[in-house]
Amino acid sequence: MKRIAYVCVDPGVPVFGTKGASVHVQEIVRAWRNRGAEVTVYCTRPGDDIPADLADLPVVVVPVKGKGADREASQAQAAAELAERVVKDGASAVYERYSLFSDALARVTEQLGVPGFLEVNAPLIDEQRIHRTLHDEAAALTALRAQVAAAARTVCVSDPVTAWVQARVGEEHHERIRTVANGVNVRRIRPSEEAPGMPVVAFVGTLKPWHGVETLIKAQASGSREWTLRIVGDGPQGAELRSLAASVHADVEFTGAVAPEMVPGVLAGCSIAAAPYPQTSAESDQYFSPLKIYEYCAAGLPVVASRVGQVPHIIDDGVTGLLVEPSDPAALAQALDGLAAAPLARAAMSSAARRAATEHHSWDTVLDRITEEVHP
């Protein structure tokens, strides 16, 4: 049996959490286990929202401590300690979610002589410098270069992330860097019948500015009023968005945060899903590969989404959903009003969205693309 060491040194990503990054960790672990592999997770933050099917997953924890520069040093030390544990335990391959200051994959592959897969989800060095504080950028860059140099395959969730990595490493490594978009658990998330009555439009995600939920609330308030809105999730903007909904008299249900395994239940009965990403100052900000859109498609929901970043590569406009201009409540309302009034169009899009998810975007398919030509 293949033994896979899954490494996540990022203290901002709990393995057993409800955020998108946590879902990503869990689904890649499931995909490896679906192949019959024995997986052990090595991390800095385990979390405590443990799904039943992962209750038996072995987890090794080395916490990150301190603040500022001390925290960065602690993260590097945690990577070294976790790598040492992987070497001691043994593995057929190491799969690491890229994080700042970690060179764990490089250490493991050198000592065990096994293939390494590095998964890059964001330009973390830039994010840390711009949005938080980065004390030792040189160390972060050195770690990234060591990881890419050691990895048999570096996979990035979008072309902008691929370009970001390639710009920071030697050209000799470029051919081993590939774009592999995110996926969805098509076994867990399945279509359901629409609930009777007024169509329900769903949004699932953390309530943060870069999800554009305020545009969706304004669209509900200014549109036909022939559909209702269900917002699944919570976050820093929660209170502000609830206040906005009340002030514009929008017909909105806020469910609050839910565990990932509860998402199929809250999507059940919905008619349409929305991904109202806002306009940003630079196209480079739209580097994400949105998990929520893949989940919407798996649930057989037509998706009305902003025409930004990678979204047009996922949604086939007029086939699996509709694309609208970002940060435009009127355009979003028009698209949602139209679908709410067109049950036959919704049904056709529902079938097409589910088919796209199962044929092209399952996590098993994603892992096949990641490991193609590299066999642990």
Side-chain angles (χ1 to χ4, degrees):
M1 179 181 290
K2 301 295 184 183
R3 300 180 63 188
I4 306 300
Y6 185 106
V7 180
C8 180
V9 187
D10 192 334
V13 179
V15 170
F16 299 121
T18 60
K19 62 199 298 186
S22 302
V23 172
H24 198 290
V25 171
Q26 294 168 27
E27 294 295 2
I28 290 293
V29 167
R30 288 189 180 101
W32 278 113
R33 284 165 56 128
N34 288 343
R35 286 186 169 194
E38 178 184 299
V39 182
T40 299
V41 170
Y42 300 81
C43 68
T44 59
R45 186 178 171 193
D48 53 15
D49 294 298
I50 304 175
D53 67 320
L54 296 179
D56 63 337
L57 180 67
V59 179
V60 176
V61 182
V62 176
V64 171
K65 303 174 183 178
K67 297 181 179 180
D70 290 341
R71 188 172 181 82
E72 294 180 357
S74 178
Q75 192 166 341
Q77 181 59 34
E81 292 182 29
L82 288 169
E84 186 176 336
R85 283 294 305 270
V86 175
V87 171
K88 180 180 178 181
D89 295 343
S92 307
V94 56
Y95 186 107
E96 181 166 2
R97 181 185 175 95
Y98 166 62
S99 61
L100 294 171
F101 309 109
S102 174
D103 62 354
L105 179 148
R107 290 172 180 265
V108 172
T109 56
E110 179 182 7
Q111 295 182 62
L112 290 183
V114 298
F117 301 91
L118 182 67
E119 173 196 287
V120 186
N121 295 277
L124 294 184
I125 295 174
D126 292 358
E127 280 192 346
Q128 189 75 10
R129 183 196 326 108
I130 295 169
H131 300 294
R132 292 175 285 275
T133 302
L134 182 59
H135 295 274
D136 194 345
E137 183 166 345
L141 185 57
T142 296
L144 171 63
R145 288 171 174 164
Q147 295 279 77
V148 173
R153 174 68 43 74
T154 296
V155 291
C156 305
V157 297
S158 67
D159 290 337
V161 175
T162 295
W164 181 83
V165 174
Q166 288 180 333
R168 284 154 183 81
V169 302
E171 289 188 8
E172 67 273 19
H173 305 306
H174 286 194
E175 66 179 18
R176 300 199 311 277
I177 304 171
R178 297 186 181 179
T179 299
V180 179
N182 284 331
V184 63
N185 188 328
V186 295
R187 298 180 183 90
R188 181 173 63 88
I189 300 180
R190 297 175 178 273
S192 65
E193 294 293 328
E194 287 189 24
M198 197 176 293
V200 177
V201 176
F203 168 87
V204 179
T206 308
L207 303 185
K208 293 182 177 179
W210 54 81
H211 283 155
V213 182
E214 62 276 8
T215 302
L216 182 56
I217 292 172
K218 292 174 182 176
Q220 205 292 320
S222 63
S224 66
R225 297 282 186 166
E226 295 300 318
W227 49 275
T228 64
L229 178 57
R230 178 179 298 167
I231 294 177
V232 182
D234 211 339
Q237 277 195 307
E240 176 186 338
L241 292 173
R242 288 179 176 84
S243 176
L244 171 63
S247 68
V248 298
H249 305 290
D251 186 356
V252 184
E253 172 196 2
F254 288 90
T255 71
V258 300
E261 62 266 26
M262 302 299 292
V263 169
V266 296
L267 290 179
C270 293
S271 305
I272 307 166
Y277 295 105
Q279 182 68 58
T280 58
S281 57
E283 183 64 24
S284 59
D285 293 336
Q286 303 287 357
Y287 61 78
F288 51 85
S289 178
L291 288 172
K292 65 167 56 62
I293 292 183
Y294 296 112
E295 292 183 338
Y296 294 158
C297 289
L301 294 175
V303 183
V304 179
S306 301
R307 189 182 280 104
V308 298
Q310 308 305 297
V311 176
H313 298 290
I314 308 170
I315 297 303
D316 188 352
D317 192 21
V319 178
T320 58
L322 298 174
L323 297 175
V324 299
E325 292 307 305
S327 302
D328 187 338
L332 184 57
Q334 183 178 9
L336 290 168
D337 289 350
L339 273 184
L344 294 181
R346 292 202 306 274
M349 288 183 177
S350 171
S351 297
R354 174 64 185 182
R355 187 165 56 250
T358 55
E359 293 180 1
H360 304 294
H361 302 304
S362 74
W363 282 116
D364 293 335
T365 300
V366 168
L367 187 58
D368 287 344
R369 291 175 184 146
I370 290 171
T371 59
E372 186 179 16
E373 301 170 1
V374 181
H375 304 288

